[in-house]
Structures are given as C-alpha cells and as structure tokens.
C-alpha cells in the first residue's frame, strides 16, 4: 500500500497561529492590513455586483471584512485559524462547493504550505461567476533585511540559515490562478518603501506583527549577537538614506479571478481569425512604406 505524499511543509503553522494570536491580542501594527484594506475597497467599488454570500478567508484582522461592508455589501463570514466567526484551517477550508459569491483574503495565503491547492479549493467554494480577491506578501519584500542577515551570517559563521520566509512572485500568480481553474485571472503588485531608524526598529515591527521566522526548517538557535550587530551595520551601510534612516521594501501581490460562467468574455476560438498573420504583417509593412 503506497503512502500518500502531501505538499512539503514549508511553514510551522502551529507556531504561526500562536504568534499571530499573541500579536493581535497585544495590538499588532496594522499599517500593511490598512493599506491592503483600502486597496480592496477601491477594487470592490469598481465591480457592480451584490455578492450576497461572501467569505473573508484567513485575514488576520477585520480590515478586509470592513472593506466589504464599506463597499455596500453584506458582512462576510470571517474564518481563520486564529480568530473570526469560524475557526478553521485555511489549508483545508470546510465549506461546500459553490458556497460563496465572493472570497476575499488579506495577507494570509503567503503562510500556507500548498498555495496551488488552497487556490483550487477557493475556486471550488465559489458559485459560478463568483469572484476571488486576495493579496499576499510579495517576493521582493524585505530584500534588504534578507541580504544583510545573509551576508553577516556568512561572514561570521561561514554559512547562512533561512531567516526570512519565501514569498510568491507576481509573475507566478497569474499562472497559479489559471492552474486553479479561475477565469479572467489577473495578478498585479503594490510595491512601496518604508523607512526606519534602524534595522532593529524594523525587526521590532515584524515581531510585533507576529511575522518573525516560522519556517519549518529554520535554525533552532537564535541569531548570535555579533551576527545581529554586523547585520545592522551592513544594513546601514548598504540601505540607508542621506539622513541615516534605513529603507525596507514591501510588496503586496494581488490576485483576482472568477469562477467560470457562460456569460463571461471568452478568448476567440482557434482558427476564427479573419486574416492570416502573414497577411496582417504584409499589410502593416505596406502601410509603413
């Protein structure tokens, strides 16, 4: 009897839930969720649909649910692993196919071990012509911190351990949405830079948000003090402004897609073109002559 092989375990999700729950209880900084929530509201206001049944999947705060309500829709069901009306495992949501007309998710899906699988489940949970609007931490986030930590650890210990989680690239998101069965998939990115007094101030914000290292294969020993001190020095040397403040890049990747429906716009069928490519190029050359 063959053993079923699941997706690789990238994140320690039990540790993640404990840290996020603790951070939310203490009033975690919400600047990322506020920015994303405002963006979600703008996106919802461009869609002229009611969406009577909606789900807020995994969002760590109420910002996304509040955006849905602010857009004039009914309050969504909030479901996550650490708060909301329903406590669930976002990797295995317990909802029947076609249960929702709208699914939103803010800054949560970057922590799942099987993102393609979760997107496929979201597609199944949507009714025909239902909409998914989700955002994740993007791959360019915290590039400065990654570089400084890796260089410092390599210099002092002779090898670097993973200290910052891997994040999805916007170029891959469209393909993941298509693979999950979404129609009209769109992926875009909101990239911005924040400035801190030091690397230590940035790391303090990350810890307060519950976003410290939760990699399953993370080093179990804490960073040595000399490594941290050297990383802060490297950070200040390579990534500071003229005034001495250090830069921190953040990237929010947005994903949207519709559950297929016969009313949706479809690409033209193969062979339906009225002009051959060769003839079109010939005509263009003649018009340029």
């Amino acid at each position: 009897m063959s053993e079923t092989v699941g997706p690789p375990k990238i994140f320690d999700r039990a540790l993640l839930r404990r840290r996020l729950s603790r951070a939310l209880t203490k009033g975690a900084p919400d600047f990322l969720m506020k920015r994303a929530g405002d963006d979600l509201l703008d996106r919802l206001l461009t869609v002229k649909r009611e969406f009577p049944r909606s789900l807020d999947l995994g969002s760590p705060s109420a910002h996304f649910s509040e955006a849905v309500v602010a857009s004039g829709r009914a309050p969504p069901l909030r479901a996550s692993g650490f708060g909301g009306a329903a406590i669930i495992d976002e990797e295995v949501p317990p909802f029947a196919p076609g249960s929702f007309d709208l699914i939103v998710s803010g800054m949560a899906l970057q922590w799942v071990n099987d993102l393609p699988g979760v997107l496929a489940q979201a597609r199944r949970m949507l009714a025909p012509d239902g909409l998914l609007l989700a955002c994740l931490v993007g791959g360019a986030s915290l590039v400065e911190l990654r570089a400084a930590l890796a260089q410092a650890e390599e210099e002092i210990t002779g090898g670097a351990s993973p200290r910052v989680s891997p994040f999805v690239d916007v170029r891959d998101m469209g393909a993941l949405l298509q693979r999950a069965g979404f129609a009209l998939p769109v992926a875009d990115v909101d990239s911005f830079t924040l400035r801190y007094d030091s690397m230590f101030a940035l790391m303090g914000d990350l810890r307060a948000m519950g976003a410290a290292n939760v990699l399953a294969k993370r080093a179990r020993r804490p960073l040595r003090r000399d490594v941290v001190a050297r990383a802060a020095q490297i950070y200040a040397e390579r990534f500071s402004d003229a005034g001495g403040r250090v830069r921190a890049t953040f990237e929010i990747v947005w994903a949207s897609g519709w559950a297929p429906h016969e009313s949706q716009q479809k690409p033209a069928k193969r062979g339906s073109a009225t002009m051959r490519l060769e003839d079109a190029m010939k005509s263009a050359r003649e018009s340029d002559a």
Side-chain angles (χ1 to χ4, degrees), residues 16 19 45 59 112 115 145 152 170 186 208 210 221 245 287:
L16 171 68
R19 287 183 174 172
L45 289 175
S59 302
V112 299
L115 180 57
L145 180 61
V170 65
V186 176
R221 65 188 185 282
R245 305 195 81 196
S287 64

Side-chain angles (χ1 to χ4, degrees), residues 1-263:
M1 181 175 174
S2 60
E3 182 179 350
T4 302
V5 179
K9 185 179 179 182
I10 303 171
F11 303 106
D12 184 339
R13 288 181 52 79
L15 175 62
L16 171 68
R17 284 191 290 271
R18 291 195 300 272
R19 287 183 174 172
L20 283 176
S21 296
R22 188 184 310 120
L24 293 170
T25 300
K26 294 182 177 180
D30 66 347
F31 57 90
L32 291 179
M33 282 300 299
K34 186 178 186 307
R35 184 184 182 101
D38 291 344
D39 199 342
L40 175 65
L41 176 57
D42 290 341
R43 293 167 188 262
L44 287 171
L45 289 175
T46 66
V47 183
K48 307 305 179 184
R49 289 276 304 280
E50 289 300 319
F51 301 125
R53 304 172 301 163
S54 60
L55 171 69
D56 184 350
L57 179 62
S59 302
S61 68
H63 289 77
F64 266 42
S65 293
E66 292 168 354
V68 173
V69 174
S71 74
R73 276 86 173 190
L77 170 66
R78 281 192 63 203
S80 74
F82 40 81
I87 305 299
I88 66 166
D89 181 350
E90 297 91 345
E91 294 191 313
V92 192
F95 303 109
S99 295
F100 302 101
D101 307 297
L102 170 69
I103 296 177
V104 298
S105 180
M107 308 300 247
L109 299 187
Q110 70 269 6
W111 304 118
V112 299
N113 289 306
D114 182 13
L115 180 57
V118 172
L119 290 174
Q121 291 183 75
R123 155 68 189 87
R124 287 193 292 271
M125 291 188 294
L126 284 170
D129 210 25
L131 174 63
L132 169 72
L133 279 171
C135 74
L136 305 79
V137 178
S141 295
L142 304 175
V143 290
E144 303 90 351
L145 180 61
R146 298 168 193 262
L149 288 173
Q151 181 179 336
E153 200 164 13
E154 181 68 35
E155 286 181 7
I156 294 175
T157 69
S161 302
R163 300 288 179 179
V164 181
S165 300
F167 299 125
V168 69
D169 192 294
V170 65
R171 292 171 295 183
D172 299 327
M173 183 52 71
L176 290 175
L177 289 167
Q178 283 187 315
R179 175 179 168 184
F182 284 97
L184 310 175
V186 176
D188 61 275
V189 64
D190 173 22
S191 182
F192 54 99
T193 301
L194 298 181
R195 285 163 175 80
Y196 286 86
D197 290 336
S198 67
M199 185 191 79
F200 299 108
L202 167 61
M203 294 177 71
D205 254 6
L206 295 176
R207 282 193 297 270
M209 288 189 287
N213 189 358
V214 292
L215 290 170
K217 295 184 179 180
R218 66 191 180 280
R220 303 294 168 167
R221 65 188 185 282
L223 272 170
R224 287 169 39 175
R225 290 185 179 182
D226 54 349
V227 172
V228 175
R230 176 59 181 144
Q233 182 182 26
I234 293 168
Y235 205 128
E237 291 170 352
R238 294 180 56 186
F239 306 112
S240 64
D241 293 337
R245 305 195 81 196
V246 298
R247 300 183 299 275
T249 298
F250 289 88
E251 192 176 72
I252 301 176
V253 172
W254 281 91
S256 67
W258 296 81
H261 187 265
E262 59 184 10
S263 67

